[in-house]
Amino acid sequence: KEEGVKHYFSYLKSPKTNSNVERLIKSIEEKLWLIEETEYTIGELNRNLRRYLRVYNFIRPHYGLGLRTPAEVAYGKC
């Protein structure tokens, strides 16, 4: 509220209304634990997730965003 961001609620597993979040969750699942068949501790999973989200949001260009990162779209040049 303080930042002027409106909060929208969505339904679980509803790709038609929540496609961006559902796609991100699928990417995370594929990258972190579905493809890599390794047992991780919670701490290791959290570290891997932080690393992956940093790359996803600040380093990896996205075709759907005109080869920009989500951070560039949200905040301008990073």
Side-chain angles (χ1 to χ4, degrees):
K1 257 183 177 177
E2 292 173 5
E3 299 293 328
V5 176
K6 187 170 182 175
H7 188 144
Y8 290 95
F9 294 92
S10 63
Y11 298 99
L12 181 65
K13 296 189 179 183
S14 55
K16 287 183 180 178
T17 60
N18 202 14
S19 59
N20 294 335
V21 173
E22 292 291 335
R23 181 63 194 126
L24 175 60
I25 291 169
K26 182 177 180 181
S27 295
I28 290 169
E29 287 175 340
E30 289 172 351
K31 181 63 180 171
L32 294 184
W33 50 82
L34 293 181
I35 291 176
E36 299 176 14
E37 296 178 5
T38 306
E39 299 258 341
Y40 291 107
T41 66
I42 294 296
E44 291 169 326
L45 276 174
N46 283 331
R47 278 191 296 280
N48 290 343
L49 178 60
R50 280 193 299 275
R51 277 190 219 114
Y52 179 76
L53 290 176
R54 181 176 172 277
V55 170
Y56 185 93
N57 287 314
F58 294 96
I59 297 171
R60 179 182 153 226
H62 296 253
Y63 284 101
L65 300 176
L67 293 177
R68 295 176 294 166
T69 66
E72 289 171 333
V73 171
Y75 308 115
K77 286 287 181 188
C78 293

